[in-house]
Amino acid sequence: MTLITPHDIRCRLLTTRGWLHQSYDADEVDDLLDDAADSLEQVSLWALITHSRMHALQAGHQRRRRSLKRRRKTIKTINRRGRK
């Protein structure tokens, strides 16, 4: 499935019906809305996955920083004991 873009929505030509062409063909409008909803769902899922990955990376980075901080603290403690 290809994603529909805002440009595609704005440029889609719909068949008009009725006296003086006052209404659109309901099936064409339904198809357009279905395409737009499917595209929005795909983009929303992509955004959710991307956000989850970024959060996981950030959390992993924070854990590594804490671990490095503990290691540095341990090394400083060992160095102080060695000097005494």
Side-chain angles (χ1 to χ4, degrees), residues 44-73:
S44 297
L45 287 172
W46 176 82
L48 179 65
I49 290 167
T50 302
H51 176 73
S52 297
R53 287 180 179 167
M54 291 298 292
H55 181 72
L57 288 172
Q58 185 178 20
H61 178 68
Q62 289 173 351
R63 280 193 299 272
R64 284 191 299 276
R65 281 184 69 189
R66 281 189 225 117
S67 176
L68 287 172
K69 190 174 182 179
R70 276 184 257 135
R71 288 178 192 166
R72 283 189 211 114
K73 193 173 184 179

Side-chain angles (χ1 to χ4, degrees), residues 5-75:
T5 64
H7 177 74
D8 295 336
I9 294 170
R10 288 185 185 101
C11 293
R12 175 97 42 112
L13 295 177
L14 299 172
T15 306
T16 54
R17 291 189 171 183
W19 187 69
L20 293 177
H21 307 290
Q22 294 179 352
S23 64
Y24 293 109
D25 180 17
D27 291 334
E28 288 181 5
V29 173
D30 286 343
D31 291 342
L32 176 63
L33 291 174
D34 288 341
D35 290 346
D38 290 343
S39 294
L40 181 60
E41 183 178 35
Q42 290 290 83
V43 169
S44 297
L45 287 172
W46 176 82
L48 179 65
I49 290 167
T50 302
H51 176 73
S52 297
R53 287 180 179 167
M54 291 298 292
H55 181 72
L57 288 172
Q58 185 178 20
H61 178 68
Q62 289 173 351
R63 280 193 299 272
R64 284 191 299 276
R65 281 184 69 189
R66 281 189 225 117
S67 176
L68 287 172
K69 190 174 182 179
R70 276 184 257 135
R71 288 178 192 166
R72 283 189 211 114
K73 193 173 184 179
T74 302
I75 290 170

